[in-house]
Amino acid sequence: MSDQRLKDIVPFVASVEEGSFTAAAERLHLTGSAVSKSVARLEARLGSRLLERTTRRLEVTDAGNAYYQTCIRILEELAEAESVLAAHRTIPSGRLRLAVPNTYGRLGVMPLLIPFCQQHPEIDLSLTFSDRFVDLFDEGIDVAVRIGQTVDLPVSLGCRQIGREKMVFCAAPDYLQRAGTPQNEAELMQHRAILYERVDGSTKPWLFTTADGHPEWRSVPYRMALGDVDAQVQALCAGLGVGQMPTWLVHEHVQRGELQVIMPQCQPHGLALTLVWPRRKQLLPKVDALLMALGALEISPPLAAPALDQ
């Protein structure tokens, strides 16, 4: 953007907001003639009428209103960029809004947020737990942690994939003593499956990897379908059947011996863990500090070695 374009934008914005060239000139400490000429120069360059001059007040045209909204966004981003550069010499502070998935937010994100808040006492953290899709702009979110694909993101959003889930089949040791431990997929299909039930009533199929390395989802008959992953884990620990779960969810249960990994050779990669944020906020010290802290998130923790010995 040339210096002249930027110089013409400021008088135009002031004219729209003040309703007259005279008031805009007073606000900018310029002459009314200078403001009027600046707007006229802008209209000539754009080839479109932005303001209708009347004897009492300036009226914004449709084209002018659309251009005004663009100018406001540009000026806000410039102001924020300047504040970011200045803020690099300051301590991260202010209100910071983070959106996380329900269960992973508790198990995976909270352990990082506690030391983060202790390290940055000037930051006021607002944390939203929800499995629904969160619109960062509509809800004023600074950073979101998402599990799942992030396709067709607008250019206004930054995105960083942290890793991918690793899925494991598991069951309670007492269930396996009663029903036997499956050694292959055919034997696995004979066991009682505990599945996740989606909001629309369908069940989440099991994920396998084909011989050529491609993911393959397979629908399986089930004994129980639950619409909550914590309830799934409870049912598995109670010995009600076999489930396929992400390692981040069953890691501690495996370590405590409440669950046992079966068919350890079958551990396909599931959904991606991604950080998403408005690009214009990325260099704000508070956001930058949070992104650095969340960079240590782990989505596929290693399971205890004894649990893998069948």
Side-chain angles (χ1 to χ4, degrees), residues 27 57 62 86 99 124 128 138 150 156 161 165 177 197 209 222 276 281 295-296 298 301 310:
R27 169 174 156 181
R57 185 174 175 83
D62 291 342
D124 299 320
T128 299
D138 286 350
T150 52
S156 56
Q161 182 173 314
E165 291 179 320
Q177 288 178 1
E197 185 176 75
T209 302
Y222 59 91
V276 183
K281 295 186 177 183
E298 192 173 29
Q310 304 298 321

Side-chain angles (χ1 to χ4, degrees), residues 223-291:
R223 177 188 184 185
M224 183 179 294
L226 302 167
D228 180 84
V229 291
D230 289 323
Q232 267 188 288
V233 174
Q234 291 180 35
L236 290 171
C237 290
L240 299 182
V242 174
Q244 185 182 48
M245 311 298 290
T247 55
W248 61 262
L249 183 57
V250 297
H251 174 65
E252 293 186 359
H253 298 279
V254 171
Q255 286 190 322
R256 292 195 295 264
E258 298 167 350
L259 291 175
Q260 183 175 327
V261 173
I262 56 180
M263 294 174 51
Q265 74 279 8
C266 183
Q267 297 187 20
H269 287 291
L271 301 174
L273 174 70
T274 308
L275 303 180
V276 183
W277 63 90
R279 286 188 184 277
R280 61 186 178 87
K281 295 186 177 183
Q282 178 173 346
L283 293 181
L284 289 172
K286 61 181 181 180
V287 174
D288 186 50
L290 180 60
L291 290 175

Side-chain angles (χ1 to χ4, degrees), residues 169 185 188-196 203-208 216-225 242-244:
F169 290 104
E185 295 177 14
L188 179 67
M189 291 300 180
Q190 303 305 312
H191 282 258
R192 298 187 172 196
I194 298 177
L195 303 183
Y196 178 79
T203 55
K204 183 179 179 180
W206 279 351
L207 177 63
F208 294 87
E216 180 180 67
W217 294 94
R218 300 181 194 170
S219 297
V220 296
Y222 59 91
R223 177 188 184 185
M224 183 179 294
V242 174
Q244 185 182 48

Side-chain angles (χ1 to χ4, degrees), residues 18-310:
E18 298 296 336
S20 73
F21 292 141
T22 300
E26 292 178 357
R27 169 174 156 181
L28 300 176
H29 305 291
L30 298 173
T31 65
S33 175
V35 172
S36 177
K37 289 179 180 179
S38 181
V39 173
R41 186 166 50 243
L42 183 62
E43 291 177 323
R45 185 170 64 250
L46 296 175
S48 180
R49 175 72 72 175
L50 304 177
L51 298 173
E52 293 291 352
R53 286 76 164 168
T54 68
T55 56
R56 300 185 60 184
R57 185 174 175 83
L58 296 175
E59 298 292 339
V60 186
T61 65
D62 291 342
N65 184 61
Y67 190 66
Y68 168 75
Q69 298 299 329
T70 300
C71 291
I72 285 296
R73 186 168 63 252
I74 291 172
L75 292 176
E76 286 178 348
E77 290 179 356
L78 283 173
E80 194 164 70
E82 290 181 358
S83 67
V84 164
L85 292 176
H88 271 302
R89 299 186 297 273
T90 66
I91 299 174
S93 62
R95 175 67 60 185
L96 187 57
R97 299 198 64 194
L98 172 64
V100 298
N102 273 322
T103 305
Y104 184 73
R106 289 189 292 102
L107 299 180
V109 183
M110 276 303 297
L112 292 181
L113 291 181
I114 293 173
F116 173 79
C117 291
Q118 292 171 337
Q119 182 181 356
H120 302 288
E122 301 299 321
I123 289 180
D124 299 320
L125 185 65
S126 177
L127 188 58
T128 299
F129 291 84
S130 177
D131 290 329
R132 65 179 176 80
F133 178 86
V134 176
D135 189 300
L136 276 67
F137 295 105
D138 286 350
E139 301 183 42
I141 301 298
D142 296 302
V143 179
V145 177
R146 291 179 177 172
I147 297 180
Q149 300 300 322
T150 52
V151 295
D152 300 326
L153 283 178
V155 295
S156 56
L157 289 178
C159 176
R160 182 191 307 161
Q161 182 173 314
I162 300 299
R164 300 190 71 87
E165 291 179 320
K166 182 173 288 186
M167 308 297 292
V168 294
F169 290 104
C170 56
D174 64 333
Y175 169 84
L176 297 175
Q177 288 178 1
R178 298 193 313 269
T181 301
Q183 302 298 321
N184 53 54
E185 295 177 14
E187 293 181 4
L188 179 67
M189 291 300 180
Q190 303 305 312
H191 282 258
R192 298 187 172 196
I194 298 177
L195 303 183
Y196 178 79
E197 185 176 75
R198 301 187 180 102
V199 176
D200 62 4
S202 65
T203 55
K204 183 179 179 180
W206 279 351
L207 177 63
F208 294 87
T209 302
T210 62
D212 56 0
H214 290 91
E216 180 180 67
W217 294 94
R218 300 181 194 170
S219 297
V220 296
Y222 59 91
R223 177 188 184 185
M224 183 179 294
L226 302 167
D228 180 84
V229 291
D230 289 323
Q232 267 188 288
V233 174
Q234 291 180 35
L236 290 171
C237 290
L240 299 182
V242 174
Q244 185 182 48
M245 311 298 290
T247 55
W248 61 262
L249 183 57
V250 297
H251 174 65
E252 293 186 359
H253 298 279
V254 171
Q255 286 190 322
R256 292 195 295 264
E258 298 167 350
L259 291 175
Q260 183 175 327
V261 173
I262 56 180
M263 294 174 51
Q265 74 279 8
C266 183
Q267 297 187 20
H269 287 291
L271 301 174
L273 174 70
T274 308
L275 303 180
V276 183
W277 63 90
R279 286 188 184 277
R280 61 186 178 87
K281 295 186 177 183
Q282 178 173 346
L283 293 181
L284 289 172
K286 61 181 181 180
V287 174
D288 186 50
L290 180 60
L291 290 175
M292 290 183 61
L294 295 180
L297 284 173
E298 192 173 29
I299 192 71
S300 296
L303 296 178
L308 300 180
D309 296 333
Q310 304 298 321

